[in-house]
Amino acid sequence: MRPHEPYSDTDSVGSVTRGDRRAFSGPISSTTTTKPKKNAKFDLSSASSSTNAADDDETYVEITLDIRDDSVAVHSVHTAGAGQDSNSLEDPELSLLAKRTLEKKSSSFRASLLRSTSSRFKQVSQELKRFTSLTRRTSTRRFDRTKSAATHALKGLKFIAAKTGGGGASAGWGPVEKRFDELTASTNGLLPSSLFGECIGMNKDSKEFAGELFRALARRRNITSDSINKAELKEFWDQISDDSFDSRLQTFFDMVDTDADGRITEEEVEEIISMSASANKLSTIQKQAKEYAALIMEELDPGNAGYIMIHNLETLLLQAPNQSVRVSDSRVLSQLLSQKLKPTNETNPIQRAYEKFQYFVEDNWQRIWVILLWLGICGGLFAYKFIQYRHRAVFNVMGYCVSIAKGGAETLKFNMALILLPVCRNTITWLRNKTKLGVVVPFDDNLNFHKVIAVGITVGVGLHGLAHLTCDFPRLLHATEEEYEPMKRFFGEEQPQNYWWFLKGVAGVTGIIMVVLMAIAFTLATPWFRRNKLNVPKPLKRLTGFNAFWYSHHLFVIVYVLLVVHGIYLYLTKEWYKKTTWMYLAIPVVLYGCERLIRAFRSSIKPVKILKVAVYPGNVLALHVSKPHGFKYKSGQYMFVNCRDVSPFEWHPFSITSAPEDDYLSVHIRTLGDWTRQLKNVFSEVCQPPQAGKSGLLRAEFMQGGAPNPKFPKILIDGPYGAPAQDYKKYDVVLLVGLGIGATPMVSIVKDIIDNIEEKEAEANAVESGQGHSRRGGSKHGKGFKTRKAYFYWVTREQGSFEWFKGIMNEVAEMDERGVIELHNYCTSVYEEGDARSALIAMLQSLHHAKSGVDVVSGTRVKSHFAKPNWRQVYKRITLQHPDTRVGVFYCGAPALTKELKQLALDFSRKTSTKFEFHKENF
């Protein structure tokens, strides 16, 4: 074993000297059979000999193989002296050649390896001779490959995606031919270049890229026309769908080489960068295309020739990807895990139904017992009133109708009282923070329970109103004098003659008004109206959106007053102590009233000073305000914000993005409705374009001393309030997922994790030095903190979004010396890794990050991913790295992703030893 070789499982198995060119024959290793990498040295020397030992060592090439169960790939190729000279490292072109020669896919590979090693190595040795000079190349870093670099490069130059016809020329030609026929129906079978992208399946955003691809393919075939026929399109298609690396590389080179002289100049690189940035909606890169073109030329043209050749481009493509931006694990382990996660098809339908029921109960037991208790109480109250009126005299005239009406009314009173409790935020936050009820009570579902109770109210109103209007009132109107006699003490001496008699009374008027007001409030609270999902005429636009929901919900003040009045003027109940409506409502209404008074009082006595305001791309407003004395909160919680310059009555909730240890409070507000749009406008008026080195489109800061300060609008805050993400500390591992502006609570958490870890380390060091705890009585801030690893995935559509938390991302990356937090930024406007439209962006990203440590997409130290994450791979990776661990999954963002993340958490929890617990923020 070579002492300088970094891999402990690498054996030097044989060598060939200049005087003796016989091939080595024998097994690669006779003792180490489970190690994946082996290497061997081969003679690549010329016929001349040398007696110098050092020179002789340089005549060998050392190949490290990556041996799998069913394949072998080259891990690295470098000169034998590379281990002693750090400047002599592996050569990607040699790896590519060796990979092409050595790769062999067979289930019986290990058995055949012993027979074919000698002949294979001899063949490689002969073919590598003409590349001897290339092994002297130097490199600034060593590429760590788990696969051949050529394989990655091949994936990085796909001109067609699988969904647009990938899978080979023959497999995808059918849909392309069909589109060609449709697009050329009026052009005599000629396809113009402007429609080429649409024809091969590229979207409209890639029109410029598709046009350049068309011109490159046309230049290769000396086609000067701006249109092509079907036969020429078939030739184009065959080339862009060709799976060979050389073909794809040549096509990409032709796209960059616009003058077809076989050389790529800096101006051509700048043009292709600008075009790629445009296709991927990366405006920042497009503006700096000239600077980035110079960077690529500096890397690939060190001799300042003024151009680069195709082999230079190939070298760049052959660089292995940085491991920090890939979420792939061992292929074998991934396959095994995938097999375990495949659901077994139970043939017995009863057993299958039982398993589904068992899983459902395990996942929802907290919700189940709360709903069952609620249904039990409603059912008990209904039965109580139903039986009570079944034995009263009015039953003889009104029948079961009156029993149903009164049963529905009793459940209605109970639910009208109960519906206030889930929105008593201060009470729920206190119960969540100070008690252990959170173990059995799903406080995270408070708003969902609020909606469920609203459905119960609707059912109660329906039973009560319909039973009266369609059943017992008609029976009373048509009763005989003898039947009406017992009813006189309830409805008067004169028998009612029509419906108007009932409707004009206090009970009738209050009942109708309540139903109308509740119908308005319930309708405007539905997602279609509250989130502006309906295309209504412009005059009716004011009836939709959050403002309409907010104000209509306050109609319930009137409803509760009318409900009490309605309960006093009952027809069939005369004793005051039997009029129980006010009894149901008393405590919840007082509690809710106190909550509102506390909010108004707390916000008025806790004035805040605006410290900084910034307007970022993507219509995001960042507010930094002073922290009021005694304002204690946890990461993940939220607070309400009010701006009287916009509306004196409206309060809107926003997640706190600062960490508890910070001496300020910050929120990031996305413009999504009328109120947030007006808030952004009033603050934009006092802002100015930022100075050099400052982020944001507009900016204003409070300056200490006598410097003049902007006149900021007045801001009131109320909070903090509990949220699901605040419980992240009880998990050993957390997976934080933020979609767009949904990253706000997660940003506070990642900062808090760093603060907690640093604090615990400081306390441990203080104890070791005999100084006791760093804080008297120990740390309250880090109490119950268990988190030892965090994965943060932020997915956003726009490159400009990364400016929102640019400073925070860099701060976390610098402070996280132990690698506790993995930051993953995803920009979905960029085509996935492997698409030719993002190939140059990927090259530029690697070069720029290696040189400056800054990502070209996000502008932070965190390297960005392209397209959307593969969430199954994310869960799989965490499962492999953290077996027998509880993982808290916290998601904040649009509802579209909730189902997938939750289902994956359930699947992996059931099939592996890692247990995922999913929590969703109400976004």
Side-chain angles (χ1 to χ4, degrees):
M1 180 175 293
R2 298 175 61 90
H4 60 267
E5 176 60 44
Y7 301 102
S8 61
D9 55 357
T10 303
D11 295 339
S12 183
V13 299
S15 62
V16 184
T17 64
R18 289 183 213 191
D20 185 4
R21 294 181 178 242
R22 292 173 298 173
F24 173 82
S25 179
I28 286 183
S29 175
S30 60
T31 58
T32 309
T33 59
T34 59
K35 303 295 184 180
K37 296 183 181 70
K38 308 295 173 190
N39 75 350
K41 294 189 297 183
F42 299 94
D43 178 26
L44 297 180
S45 64
S46 60
S48 61
S49 62
S50 173
T51 59
N52 188 292
D55 293 340
D56 188 68
D57 194 37
E58 290 182 352
T59 63
Y60 297 98
V61 169
E62 207 166 78
I63 301 177
T64 302
L65 304 178
D66 191 350
I67 298 176
R68 306 283 180 174
D69 289 339
D70 58 350
S71 66
V72 61
V74 173
H75 180 270
S76 64
V77 178
H78 52 76
T79 59
Q84 297 165 346
D85 184 2
S86 61
N87 292 327
S88 179
L89 299 176
E90 69 196 72
D91 186 86
E93 295 184 12
L94 293 180
S95 291
L96 173 60
L97 178 59
K99 185 263 178 186
R100 290 174 178 170
T101 307
L102 289 179
E103 188 172 62
K104 177 178 175 64
K105 302 254 180 207
S106 172
S107 59
S108 61
F109 171 75
R110 290 188 181 276
S112 63
L113 183 63
L114 299 179
R115 298 190 298 268
S116 62
T117 299
S118 177
S119 60
R120 288 284 179 185
F121 284 178
K122 184 176 181 179
Q123 181 182 355
V124 173
S125 178
Q126 296 297 324
E127 290 189 14
L128 290 178
K129 285 181 179 180
R130 57 194 178 92
F131 289 97
T132 304
S133 60
L134 297 177
T135 63
R136 306 298 193 272
R137 287 186 182 178
T138 60
S139 176
T140 57
R141 57 183 173 140
R142 177 187 177 93
F143 304 124
D144 184 15
R145 301 191 189 96
T146 54
K147 292 183 179 181
S148 167
T151 303
H152 173 70
L154 190 65
K155 290 181 179 179
L157 281 179
K158 289 189 296 185
F159 290 92
I160 51 173
K163 62 183 180 181
T164 60
S170 58
W173 171 246
V176 174
E177 185 178 23
K178 182 179 179 181
R179 286 193 290 267
F180 176 86
D181 293 337
E182 294 173 354
L183 294 172
T184 59
S186 59
T187 58
N188 298 322
L190 293 177
L191 179 73
S193 61
S194 59
L195 298 177
F196 176 70
E198 182 181 352
C199 186
I200 64 174
M202 288 187 176
N203 57 28
K204 295 181 180 179
D205 294 329
S206 304
K207 187 175 182 179
E208 186 180 355
F209 186 91
E212 195 60 51
L213 176 60
F214 177 92
R215 288 186 287 274
L217 295 169
R219 284 195 300 269
R220 174 63 58 175
R221 292 161 179 78
N222 295 320
I223 298 176
T224 57
S225 173
D226 195 46
S227 301
I228 56 173
N229 55 37
K230 184 183 291 188
E232 291 169 329
L233 176 64
K234 182 64 167 65
E235 289 185 30
F236 284 15
W237 178 257
D238 288 341
Q239 181 172 340
I240 63 177
S241 60
D242 192 340
D243 286 338
S244 72
F245 174 67
D246 290 332
S247 176
R248 292 183 181 180
L249 176 64
Q250 187 63 58
T251 302
F252 189 75
F253 184 86
D254 291 343
M255 286 184 63
V256 185
D257 184 21
T258 55
D259 58 4
D261 63 351
R263 300 174 178 181
I264 300 177
T265 63
E266 185 171 335
E267 289 74 19
E268 290 173 327
V269 173
E270 180 184 347
E271 183 179 348
I272 197 70
I273 288 176
S274 178
M275 185 179 62
S276 297
S278 175
N280 291 280
K281 300 178 182 178
L282 301 175
S283 57
T284 304
I285 294 180
Q286 194 170 7
K287 294 175 183 176
Q288 297 176 280
K290 187 176 183 65
E291 175 188 339
Y292 293 140
L295 175 65
I296 290 180
M297 294 300 292
E298 178 184 345
E299 176 76 13
L300 299 184
D301 181 27
N304 295 321
Y307 60 86
I308 58 177
M309 305 294 289
I310 190 170
H311 68 270
N312 301 119
L313 192 61
E314 179 180 7
T315 301
L316 188 60
L317 285 168
L318 286 171
Q319 293 183 6
N322 189 295
Q323 294 300 318
S324 65
V325 298
R326 298 179 71 85
V327 286
S328 58
D329 288 284
S330 165
R331 182 180 50 147
V332 177
L333 287 175
S334 297
Q335 289 177 348
L336 290 174
L337 186 58
S338 297
Q339 292 171 1
K340 290 180 182 178
L341 290 173
K342 291 179 181 177
T344 54
N345 294 323
E346 178 62 52
T347 56
N348 188 334
I350 298 178
Q351 181 66 24
R352 187 165 61 246
Y354 172 75
E355 288 182 357
K356 288 183 178 180
F357 176 75
Q358 185 180 24
Y359 286 141
F360 177 79
V361 172
E362 289 177 1
D363 299 332
N364 300 279
W365 67 270
Q366 290 178 313
R367 299 182 182 92
I368 290 173
W369 84 261
V370 171
I371 293 297
L372 288 179
L373 177 63
W374 173 68
L375 290 175
I377 294 174
C378 290
L381 291 173
F382 182 88
Y384 162 70
K385 277 297 177 182
F386 185 92
I387 295 173
Q388 184 185 67
Y389 275 82
R390 173 68 179 78
H391 295 92
R392 292 187 61 173
V394 294
F395 182 81
N396 298 325
V397 178
M398 298 182 173
Y400 285 104
C401 304
V402 70
S403 296
I404 294 174
K406 289 301 180 179
E410 201 69 14
T411 64
L412 178 60
K413 290 184 287 185
F414 169 70
N415 285 325
M416 286 295 290
L418 185 63
I419 199 170
L420 294 175
L421 298 183
V423 291
C424 290
R425 295 185 177 90
N426 287 297
T427 303
I428 291 177
T429 300
W430 185 87
L431 292 173
R432 183 198 291 269
N433 294 340
K434 302 298 182 180
T435 71
K436 300 294 184 181
L437 286 177
V439 177
V440 294
V441 178
F443 289 120
D444 295 347
D445 291 322
N446 62 318
L447 291 183
N448 291 329
F449 190 46
H450 179 78
K451 297 172 185 177
V452 170
I453 298 171
V455 174
I457 290 175
T458 304
V459 173
V461 169
L463 289 174
H464 182 71
L466 292 176
H468 274 323
L469 295 176
T470 65
C471 189
D472 56 13
F473 285 174
R475 289 170 69 102
L476 185 65
L477 293 175
H478 296 91
T480 63
E481 291 185 4
E482 183 180 352
E483 291 173 334
Y484 182 74
E485 186 65 27
M487 301 292 101
K488 288 183 180 180
R489 67 191 186 99
F490 301 119
F491 298 99
E493 292 295 327
E494 293 187 12
Q495 182 177 359
Q497 301 298 315
N498 50 47
Y499 271 106
W500 177 246
W501 189 93
F502 297 104
L503 297 181
K504 70 181 181 179
V506 175
V509 172
T510 55
I512 292 173
I513 295 176
M514 281 192 295
V515 171
V516 172
L517 294 181
M518 283 194 287
I520 293 172
F522 284 14
T523 301
L524 297 182
T526 57
W528 300 281
F529 284 90
R530 183 164 56 92
R531 295 184 179 271
N532 276 320
K533 292 183 177 180
L534 294 179
N535 292 323
V536 296
K538 193 171 183 179
L540 300 179
K541 270 290 183 182
R542 298 184 65 86
L543 298 178
T544 63
F546 187 86
N547 284 348
F549 156 75
W550 176 262
Y551 288 113
S552 65
H553 245 54
H554 285 77
L555 293 174
F556 275 91
V557 175
I558 302 174
V559 170
Y560 277 101
V561 173
L562 294 176
L563 182 60
V564 173
V565 174
H566 185 84
I568 293 173
Y569 289 89
L570 297 177
Y571 290 119
L572 302 179
T573 302
K574 301 301 180 181
E575 298 85 354
W576 71 269
Y577 56 87
K578 291 184 179 181
K579 299 177 180 181
T580 58
T581 301
W582 67 272
M583 299 179 188
Y584 277 101
L585 299 179
I587 295 178
V589 168
V590 169
L591 181 62
Y592 183 75
C594 291
E595 288 256 343
R596 297 303 294 263
L597 288 174
I598 290 172
R599 174 185 295 184
F601 181 70
R602 184 167 56 189
S603 62
S604 63
I605 66 171
K606 288 187 177 180
V608 294
K609 181 186 298 181
I610 297 178
L611 304 177
K612 184 174 68 176
V613 177
V615 178
Y616 291 108
N619 289 321
V620 168
L621 173 69
L623 295 178
H624 290 238
V625 300
S626 59
K627 183 192 291 187
H629 179 71
F631 191 97
K632 297 180 180 180
Y633 66 98
K634 297 179 180 180
S635 288
Q637 292 185 333
Y638 65 95
M639 66 182 183
F640 280 83
V641 176
N642 169 269
C643 180
R644 295 190 176 181
D645 287 12
V646 177
S647 173
F649 304 111
E650 291 186 48
W651 292 79
H652 293 262
F654 299 100
S655 297
I656 303 173
T657 54
S658 53
E661 291 294 293
D662 293 335
D663 58 359
Y664 62 90
L665 296 174
S666 66
V667 292
H668 287 67
I669 302 171
R670 181 84 181 262
T671 301
L672 295 173
D674 296 337
W675 188 87
T676 52
R677 186 178 300 108
Q678 293 176 41
L679 183 72
K680 174 177 169 286
N681 291 338
V682 297
F683 275 101
S684 297
E685 292 175 0
V686 299
C687 293
Q688 300 292 332
Q691 299 177 358
K694 300 284 188 177
S695 62
L697 301 176
L698 297 171
R699 199 177 181 92
E701 297 186 38
F702 177 83
M703 305 298 294
Q704 298 288 348
N709 286 299
K711 189 177 180 181
F712 293 113
K714 187 177 181 181
I715 287 290
L716 299 178
I717 64 171
D718 176 54
Y721 293 104
Q726 74 175 58
D727 297 325
Y728 82 91
K729 293 183 180 181
K730 68 181 184 180
Y731 296 99
D732 298 321
V733 179
V734 292
L735 170 60
L736 310 172
V737 181
L739 215 62
I741 198 64
T744 48
M746 312 309 171
V747 168
S748 177
I749 289 175
V750 295
K751 291 179 65 179
D752 192 39
I753 290 175
I754 296 295
D755 290 341
N756 274 278
I757 291 174
E758 288 187 341
E759 185 176 310
K760 292 184 73 173
E761 290 179 352
E763 290 181 355
N765 294 334
V767 171
E768 289 179 2
S769 62
Q771 298 177 3
H773 292 291
S774 61
R775 295 184 182 181
R776 188 173 61 182
S779 170
K780 293 182 180 179
H781 178 60
K783 185 179 180 181
F785 180 78
K786 296 181 179 179
T787 307
R788 52 185 173 83
K789 186 70 176 179
Y791 300 87
F792 176 35
Y793 286 80
W794 183 21
V795 185
T796 183
R797 288 193 302 265
E798 303 166 352
Q799 182 187 15
S801 302
F802 292 116
E803 282 199 39
W804 305 345
F805 307 114
K806 183 177 179 178
I808 297 175
M809 288 290 184
N810 287 329
E811 181 183 351
V812 171
E814 292 173 5
M815 294 172 60
D816 187 19
E817 297 177 355
R818 296 182 177 270
V820 175
I821 300 175
E822 280 194 18
L823 302 175
H824 298 269
N825 293 337
Y826 279 82
C827 186
T828 58
S829 69
V830 184
Y831 290 95
E832 63 183 351
E833 294 179 36
D835 195 300
R837 286 166 287 188
S838 62
L840 201 64
I841 303 299
M843 300 179 209
L844 181 60
Q845 183 188 48
S846 297
L847 287 176
H848 195 269
H849 198 274
K851 182 176 181 180
S852 64
V854 177
D855 182 61
V856 294
V857 177
S858 66
T860 68
R861 295 180 60 185
V862 182
K863 205 168 183 182
S864 299
H865 306 254
F866 301 159
K868 297 178 181 178
N870 184 332
W871 293 114
R872 176 166 288 274
Q873 290 293 333
V874 172
Y875 274 83
K876 184 184 297 182
R877 179 180 175 226
I878 295 175
T879 301
L880 288 171
Q881 294 186 358
H882 305 284
D884 303 309
T885 305
R886 287 174 67 239
V887 179
V889 182
F890 297 92
Y891 170 66
C892 184
L897 190 56
T898 303
K899 184 177 180 181
E900 181 182 358
L901 292 177
K902 184 177 181 180
Q903 188 59 49
L904 284 171
L906 296 177
D907 290 344
F908 278 82
S909 296
R910 295 167 183 172
K911 301 298 182 180
T912 70
S913 62
T914 305
K915 304 305 176 186
F916 293 86
E917 297 182 12
F918 180 79
H919 305 271
K920 179 189 178 298
E921 293 284 338
N922 293 307
F923 182 74

